Amino acid sequence: MSAVTAEHDDHHDHGPAKGILRWIVTTNHKDIGTLYLVFALTMFFVGGSMALIIRAELFEPGMQFVDPQFFNSMTTMHALVMVFGAVMPAFVGLANWMIPMMIGAPDMALPRMNNMSFWMLVAGILLLASTLFMEGGAPAAGWTLYPPLVLQTGTALPFAIFSVHLLGISSIMGAINIIATIFNMRAPAMTLMKMPLFVWTWLITAFLLIAIMPVFAGAVTMLLTDRFFDTSFFDAAGGGDPVLYQHIFWFFGHPEVYVMILPTFGVASTIIPVFARKPLFGYASMVYATAAIAFLSFIVWAHHMFTVGMPIAGELYFMYATMLIAIPTGVKIFNWTATMWKGSMTFEAPMLFSIAFVVLFTLGGFTGLMMAIAPVDFQYHDTYFIVAHFHYTLVPASIFILMAAGYYWLPKWTGNMYDERLAQLHFWLSAISVNILFFPQHFLGLAGMPRRIPDYAVQFADWNMISSIGAFIYGPSQLIFVYIVYKTIKGGTGEKVTDEVWEGASKHGLEWTLPSPPPYHTFTTPPEKVPTEHF
Amino acid sequence: MKKTKQLFAALTLMVLGLGSAQADYTLDLMRGVTVISNEVYDLHILILWICIFIGIAVFGTMFYSIYYHRKSMGHKAEQFHENTTVEIIWTIIPTIILVGMAIPATKTMLDMDDSREAEMSIKVTGWQWKWEYEYMDNGIHFFSSLDEASNEARQKNSGIDPRSVPHYLLNVDKPLVVPVNTKIRFLFTAADVIHSWWVPDLGWKKDTVPGFINESWTDIKEVGTYRGQCAELCGKDHGFMPIVVIAKEKADYDAWVEEQKTLAIAEANAADKEWAVDELIAKGETVYANNCASCHMADGAGMPGTFPAISGSAVVTGDMDSQVDLMMNGKGMMPAFGQMLSAVDFAAVSTFIRNGLGNSVGDSIQPSAIQTLQPASTEEDDDE
């Protein structure tokens, strides 16, 4: 590539293109990072609106607003949009903005591919969203797209499958770019074991993505041929097996959940030391724990399928393997706690969201451990207990950390300070309502309410109503974040921030040695020294 | 006003964190009524307490630190980090705890897997959206679907308060009846998509996979009625295919078996008699409501793009034989009703849709004619 474009890149220091074209043709990592983040935030509200439709229908027993089929489309689309449209792109956006600035690189290694992977993501999500308006409705078989049910989807099926292909290609290109950047573009002083944990976790995540996205693409392609070309991969009548799909899907699906949580760990490990004014307790063990979790994520997939009828040896193996995950995850939680211990903590919005993440993610970890116990999972499986579990590991974990990252780096990105009082309001509203929203779902699941049902028996009425109330507080309070971001871009509190922004931050990351906001091109010559605080 | 009250009640509840407006409301897993379900419950409680204990230790440390190690309290940050001893300790201790959990879990797992020496077998087949039960030992065979009262109340804006319906969404037209203190083996399969058969009181759920047989067992210790639901998303009416198991004393169960056999004979006789067209239409209307309306809609309008309309349908207003053939053998998402409906019900609903829902073909078909077309009873195939 460099041979083709070298000549063009020879004239220096031109800023961004003018007008809308700047955003369409940009190859600048900061611009592409911004595009990803804005897109992810938009999708967060699209997926969130779907969740609110679900919670509105579940507010009371009886069917009030939607038909069961549309309800199923909502649960399906909510998950797909949140996973592929909000959480993953948001972390890719952070990676784009921060990885070059954290490792002392001028840009991503493959800037044009970077642009392409963003626009392919937009195309993929638009294709997915278009299925909402098709005959027969959007996919309604759950985000896991299990056959044979998913083969009953109407016109939408091939569109959803091609959308998965596009999203997969986009993710793979993004992952290749991140790996190439980290391996090739680090400042000479930035050895692997000096990289910030956010960079480390993304490096490992990128390898996960490259390993799993083709698997998912393969699985949905088999669905496509089963439906249209008379194959029978998943049809027993033709010698296939519907459960085979589940094995393939979860071989993708389980590492996929770590794709969403490992960068979350990385951001938390970046923020907590800064606000505790202490080095991270165990840098090396954090790196190894991340790698261990990533490895384990490939060998535990069938714990999503304990009730599917596996032989006893399979049940026991997947139970033991799953329980092992608790060990490296525990190492991480103990590390964050030890980092706070005897620090000198302050509680600005990034720290508040990070602490809430540690606490609430741990709750999600506990329920995860409970569900690892196969014989008990026969009760928990496919109930609201699991809904509560994975929402605890995604909303007050990944989403909270994304908010923390927003507040943490926004002053660096814009050069302006956000409104701390509003941010604190945003935090407290979110932290309280997210628990009103998801905690009662533990009770519902234990009491026997299956997931993915549009209506329920009356003994589930009280907690469902409370959960819905939580949702109606949590959802709208996220608009505060949009307002704060908008205000900050427009000048914020008026106070100009320093390069360091947070007290002592420049000891923790290279990005804090750059001006706020950073110029369009940074580290065109690599920095000579790198921070060593986290050792 | 009522809603405001409910809302207020809910909020009060939330503040108190316990207690209830609903009588049979629970916060926790149920103990259930089998040895296995009790083992499962004990395991659940054991692990819950371990988690609570770890939680108190970790969060206690964290909140102590958050309170005392604040900059605003003038605490100076210490700069210690990396301590191999500590790191080894916090890796070893969780490992020991995990081994402690794995031992009882393995024992329960092995117990659950052991379905040897079952005294009777029941084959459960999942359908969109009902359950089929076949007693392998005495030939009793029936379908079980959501009861009519719940079905009416669950229609969108039905105007019926779900609270006024007994066991709303957890009641069926024909429950599964089993004896207590008997080791019962269940065989699970499905006719269309994957379902999952779950009665919490039995302590487990099992997926029903089309083309495959799964196995599980239970031995209910207490007489009673136990309710559950399908637990695997199986299409639009996934939320509306409950399970009711009635466990009876052995003598009562035997009496029930005899009663079922008498009913089966009566049903066979009903098919032989000549039915009047009006009788068929009247009966067909109920059969339609219970079996067809969930897809083709109560008024026969269908759902464009997914489920074709009955009103004005070319198939229904055309040749009787091809309509009966379609209903008998199914097509795409349309299930094969040949073995699902009795000859009388089949003839009744066939006649009804040709003469109701806006259609007026004017002809009818007798149950006896249907009987000759129906596939042989499925019991024979199960002897393999």
Side-chain angles (χ1 to χ4, degrees):
Chain A
M1 192 202 84
S2 55
V4 184
T5 57
E7 201 185 332
H8 177 76
D9 284 348
D10 270 347
H11 46 105
H12 288 290
D13 264 32
H14 51 108
K18 294 283 173 271
I20 188 74
L21 215 56
R22 164 177 177 183
W23 300 105
I24 293 171
V25 301
T26 183
T27 55
N28 180 286
H29 74 101
K30 300 183 184 73
D31 282 355
I32 293 175
T34 306
L35 283 172
Y36 266 109
L37 290 172
V38 170
F39 180 77
L41 190 58
T42 314
M43 285 304 129
F44 177 58
F45 284 96
V46 172
S49 313
M50 293 171 177
L52 289 182
I53 292 174
I54 295 168
R55 283 317 321 169
E57 181 55 59
L58 293 175
F59 185 73
E60 274 197 303
M63 300 296 297
Q64 291 88 18
F65 303 110
V66 296
D67 293 316
Q69 181 73 18
F70 184 74
F71 182 91
N72 291 344
S73 288
M74 284 296 101
T75 55
T76 306
M77 294 293 277
H78 162 71
L80 290 171
V81 167
M82 284 303 200
V83 170
F84 295 103
V87 178
M88 287 169 69
F91 280 116
V92 178
L94 288 181
N96 261 294
W97 251 106
M98 299 320 300
I99 288 178
M101 281 162 58
M102 284 176 153
I103 62 173
D107 204 311
M108 297 294 280
L110 308 160
R112 293 190 181 203
M113 194 163 89
N114 204 8
N115 173 290
M116 190 170 164
S117 50
F118 173 75
W119 287 109
M120 223 169 220
L121 163 75
V122 177
I125 292 287
L126 286 179
L127 195 60
L128 184 66
S130 71
T131 62
L132 279 168
F133 308 100
M134 287 177 187
E135 209 172 70
W143 81 283
T144 50
L145 308 173
Y146 281 1
L149 181 61
V150 74
L151 300 174
Q152 295 181 350
T153 309
T155 323
L157 184 69
F159 292 90
I161 288 172
F162 289 137
S163 147
V164 168
H165 287 154
L166 282 177
L167 297 171
I169 296 170
S170 161
S171 291
I172 291 171
M173 292 198 305
I176 290 173
N177 208 349
I178 285 167
I179 293 173
T181 307
I182 296 173
F183 279 154
N184 297 308
M185 313 235 338
R186 277 173 287 126
M190 181 66 74
T191 58
L192 282 177
M193 288 308 272
K194 283 185 183 169
M195 295 195 307
L197 266 164
F198 178 69
V199 182
W200 254 116
T201 50
W202 242 118
L203 179 64
I204 292 167
T205 303
F207 276 104
L208 287 188
L209 276 172
I210 290 179
I212 62 172
M213 292 313 294
V215 177
F216 190 27
V220 294
T221 307
M222 285 188 259
L223 290 177
L224 192 76
T225 61
D226 266 16
R227 165 82 174 256
F228 295 103
F229 303 109
D230 285 333
T231 58
S232 38
F233 291 108
F234 308 129
D235 178 6
D241 181 353
V243 176
L244 170 67
Y245 174 88
Q246 301 186 16
H247 283 289
I248 303 173
F249 178 87
W250 286 112
F251 186 81
F252 146 81
H254 196 75
E256 168 67 19
V257 302
Y258 291 92
V259 164
M260 295 187 280
I261 204 68
L262 294 184
T264 307
F265 292 166
V267 177
S269 306
T270 307
I271 291 176
I272 291 173
V274 172
F275 293 89
R277 291 167 181 76
K278 258 186 74 191
L280 189 67
F281 179 78
Y283 173 85
S285 65
M286 283 299 230
V287 172
Y288 300 141
T290 309
I293 292 172
F295 169 74
L296 288 174
S297 77
F298 281 107
I299 58 165
V300 297
W301 74 88
H303 67 215
H304 297 267
M305 316 158 44
F306 278 141
T307 64
V308 88
M310 272 186 290
I312 183 79
E315 305 266 8
L316 290 175
Y317 161 73
F318 282 108
M319 171 169 83
Y320 300 146
T322 304
M323 291 169 81
L324 285 181
I325 299 179
I327 298 169
T329 313
V331 166
K332 289 199 158 277
I333 289 160
F334 300 146
N335 254 301
W336 290 317
T337 312
T339 305
M340 291 185 228
W341 187 255
K342 302 216 162 163
S344 176
M345 278 186 271
T346 52
F347 302 95
E348 290 87 347
M351 183 62 162
L352 284 176
F353 275 106
S354 299
I355 293 175
F357 151 75
V358 177
V359 174
L360 299 176
F361 174 77
T362 306
L363 288 187
F366 285 148
T367 49
L369 182 59
M370 293 171 80
M371 282 185 297
I373 311 295
V376 196
D377 185 67
F378 289 164
Q379 289 280 42
Y380 303 145
H381 180 75
D382 264 338
T383 68
Y384 259 80
F385 193 74
I386 171 103
V387 176
H389 159 73
F390 66 69
H391 279 101
Y392 263 90
T393 62
L394 282 172
V395 185
S398 294
I399 299 289
F400 269 30
I401 279 297
L402 284 166
M403 297 298 171
Y407 289 122
Y408 182 58
W409 282 308
L410 203 54
K412 170 55 65 186
W413 296 334
T414 61
N416 304 317
M417 198 61 197
Y418 65 84
D419 185 335
E420 184 65 44
R421 277 186 58 194
L422 270 180
Q424 300 262 337
L425 176 73
H426 173 217
F427 169 75
W428 286 109
L429 273 174
S430 302
I432 293 167
S433 61
V434 87
N435 284 296
I436 301 174
L437 166 54
F438 293 119
F439 207 81
Q441 296 184 357
H442 292 115
F443 304 143
L444 286 171
L446 292 175
M449 179 168 162
R451 66 191 285 205
R452 292 168 167 168
I453 57 173
D455 193 8
Y456 46 81
V458 292
Q459 69 261 37
F460 305 131
D462 295 344
W463 290 119
N464 267 298
M465 186 179 282
I466 292 169
S467 178
S468 290
I469 292 169
F472 294 132
I473 304 172
Y474 179 78
S477 30
Q478 303 317 302
L479 292 168
I480 302 173
F481 180 72
V482 178
Y483 177 76
I484 295 172
V485 171
Y486 175 79
K487 288 286 284 183
T488 312
I489 294 170
K490 290 286 166 196
T493 52
E495 150 201 8
K496 279 289 154 206
V497 295
T498 60
D499 293 354
E500 196 176 57
V501 183
W502 310 106
E503 183 191 353
S506 58
K507 286 189 285 178
H508 294 267
L510 269 182
E511 73 268 34
W512 305 109
T513 62
L514 293 167
S516 307
Y520 199 56
H521 297 287
T522 45
F523 291 130
T524 42
T525 48
E528 282 178 12
K529 284 205 289 192
V530 299
T532 53
E533 178 69 0
H534 45 254
F535 301 100
Chain B
M1 212 31 229
K2 197 164 141 252
K3 278 188 186 164
T4 331
K5 260 191 188 162
Q6 278 171 13
L7 193 75
F8 184 75
L11 284 170
T12 320
L13 246 170
M14 198 170 73
V15 175
L16 296 174
L18 35 84
S20 164
Q22 297 288 339
D24 49 357
Y25 162 133
T26 46
L27 290 177
D28 194 12
L29 214 56
M30 38 198 96
R31 269 200 166 274
V33 289
T34 68
V35 175
I36 289 287
S37 73
N38 276 279
E39 275 185 42
V40 165
Y41 177 84
D42 292 337
L43 257 180
H44 157 74
I45 291 296
L46 169 74
I47 295 154
L48 183 64
W49 277 109
I50 292 175
C51 289
I52 290 173
F53 176 76
I54 300 172
I56 290 172
V58 174
F59 298 149
T61 314
M62 198 184 299
F63 288 121
Y64 178 89
S65 176
I66 287 171
Y67 189 80
Y68 288 104
H69 305 150
R70 280 186 288 165
K71 197 182 178 196
S72 57
M73 299 270 280
H75 194 272
K76 290 274 179 293
E78 294 184 17
Q79 295 300 312
F80 66 84
H81 58 100
E82 308 274 348
N83 183 323
T84 314
T85 320
V86 171
E87 291 179 62
I88 288 174
I89 290 173
W90 73 33
T91 311
I92 301 270
I93 291 180
T95 312
I96 295 169
I97 296 174
L98 287 176
V99 172
M101 287 180 184
I103 292 168
T106 305
K107 187 193 161 291
T108 305
M109 193 67 233
L110 291 171
D111 289 348
M112 287 175 112
D113 192 59
D114 183 7
S115 63
R116 283 172 302 177
E117 290 166 27
E119 294 158 73
M120 61 181 278
S121 298
I122 297 174
K123 182 177 160 205
V124 180
T125 308
W127 293 76
Q128 284 176 318
W129 292 276
K130 60 187 74 175
W131 297 99
E132 179 188 8
Y133 298 113
E134 286 173 79
Y135 291 65
M136 312 296 278
D137 309 279
N138 55 27
I140 295 176
H141 172 220
F142 57 88
F143 283 83
S144 174
S145 42
L146 184 68
D147 74 315
E148 234 170 287
S150 294
N151 196 32
E152 263 175 57
R154 66 106 172 169
Q155 303 303 324
K156 195 158 102 184
N157 299 319
S158 64
I160 304 169
D161 180 7
R163 288 177 178 80
S164 70
V165 180
H167 303 292
Y168 177 61
L169 297 186
L170 291 179
N171 213 4
V172 295
D173 53 356
K174 214 163 174 334
L176 179 70
V177 177
V178 295
V180 292
N181 296 317
T182 308
K183 184 160 182 176
I184 306 165
R185 187 170 66 126
F186 287 99
L187 298 171
F188 295 101
T189 189
D192 34 49
V193 302
I194 302 173
H195 305 263
S196 187
W197 197 83
W198 181 34
V199 177
D201 278 303
L202 305 189
W204 46 263
K205 63 176 69 70
K206 199 67 147 184
D207 291 1
T208 70
V209 183
F212 291 83
I213 301 269
N214 274 334
E215 202 180 53
S216 206
W217 67 274
T218 195
D219 186 349
I220 299 173
K221 294 295 172 199
E222 286 170 42
V223 170
T225 304
Y226 308 110
R227 296 170 197 278
Q229 281 179 272
C230 176
E232 175 69 47
L233 179 62
C234 57
K236 78 184 179 63
D237 284 354
H238 161 56
F240 309 105
M241 48 184 292
I243 299 153
V244 178
V245 177
I246 297 182
K248 293 179 185 249
E249 291 293 352
K250 274 196 180 124
D252 297 337
Y253 169 74
D254 290 339
W256 177 84
V257 169
E258 287 313 311
E259 191 189 322
Q260 295 307 302
K261 286 185 174 160
T262 322
L263 279 174
I265 294 165
E267 197 174 89
N269 291 341
D272 292 336
K273 94 169 204 204
E274 183 79 8
W275 285 63
V277 177
D278 288 348
E279 272 183 306
L280 285 173
I281 292 177
K283 189 167 181 57
E285 193 165 1
T286 326
V287 178
Y288 181 86
N290 291 342
N291 294 281
C292 320
S294 66
C295 296
H296 297 291
M297 298 290 116
D299 59 357
M303 277 168 73
T306 321
F307 306 115
I310 300 289
S311 313
S313 149
V315 178
V316 178
T317 56
D319 175 37
M320 170 76 87
D321 289 344
S322 53
Q323 176 206 315
V324 168
D325 180 61
L326 179 70
M327 288 167 57
M328 192 74 75
N329 302 310
K331 182 188 170 191
M333 280 181 75
M334 169 82 177
F337 280 95
Q339 33 170 326
M340 234 190 285
L341 296 178
S342 70
V344 173
D345 286 352
F346 197 106
V349 76
S350 303
T351 307
F352 167 70
I353 57 175
R354 299 177 75 83
N355 299 294
L357 304 174
N359 298 330
S360 49
V361 187
D363 56 358
S364 68
I365 190 164
Q366 283 299 319
S368 49
I370 297 293
Q371 237 173 355
T372 60
L373 296 169
Q374 269 175 321
S377 164
T378 48
E379 278 122 47
E380 286 105 75
D381 336 323
D382 300 327
D383 292 344
E384 335 139 23

